[in-house]
Amino acid sequence: MGGELPMVAQGTLWPKVALKSTVNITKSMAYDFLYDWLGTGLLTSTGKKWHERRKMITPAFHFGILEDFVEIFGEKSKLLVNLLGKQEFGKEFDIYPMITNCALDIICESAMGTTVNAQEKKDSEYVKAVYEVSELILYRALRPWLYADTIWKLSSHGRAFYRNLKTLHDFTNKIK
């Protein structure tokens, strides 16, 4: 056996190698479908670019900075709890949209400094577009014949994707 195998087996080497690697972080092709929406950011980049962006964003998650957002986290979480409390006891319901809307409220207000009220405003064009774009990315990822950009752009789903993407980008550009 090689000298590294025992250290890998003991769990002392591989986590550091994997987490610090700028080479072994290639993401699946499904991440390519996020590019039009998110660009080449921390989520979508790989290699040296990913490493540089991770180092750039790490200070933003320091406890001192996160403390500035505790009030927002608490306010939006309290709203979620109130909405959950309105659900009929013992009756099944879908919690996913409620959690997603809470997360969207928290992210938009803390990271972008704007309120979207996703938990309260069910008719928000921005919130609808986030859901629609997310669903269309998944739709595309599950259909290999739509992987080619030309075919995707010509399809009805691709056109819906770009229409909703415009809504998202317009919103983002408005708050810059």
Side-chain angles (χ1 to χ4, degrees), residues 49-81:
K49 186 177 273 190
W50 173 85
H51 187 70
E52 289 168 354
R53 291 177 184 212
R54 186 193 58 80
K55 282 174 60 176
M56 190 184 323
I57 199 169
T58 297
F61 292 96
H62 185 276
F63 286 116
I65 292 172
L66 290 177
E67 282 177 9
D68 294 342
F69 303 116
V70 168
E71 192 174 318
I72 295 168
F73 299 162
E75 176 188 321
K76 301 306 177 188
S77 298
K78 193 179 289 184
L79 180 56
L80 173 63
V81 170

Side-chain angles (χ1 to χ4, degrees), residues 87-145:
Q87 298 301 311
E88 189 177 326
F89 183 75
K91 189 174 180 186
E92 209 174 276
F93 68 96
D94 186 2
I95 195 170
Y96 176 77
M98 300 172 89
I99 299 292
T100 305
N101 287 342
C102 180
L104 189 57
D105 275 347
I106 290 170
I107 290 166
C108 287
E109 196 160 331
S110 58
M112 299 191 313
T114 190
T115 305
V116 294
N117 292 320
Q119 295 181 85
E120 298 170 295
K121 279 179 73 176
K122 303 297 179 204
D123 60 343
S124 164
E125 288 301 312
Y126 178 75
V127 173
K128 285 181 194 174
V130 167
Y131 277 104
E132 195 68 25
V133 164
S134 301
E135 287 180 22
L136 289 165
I137 288 170
L138 181 60
Y139 182 88
R140 183 181 188 190
L142 296 174
R143 290 162 178 82
W145 58 90

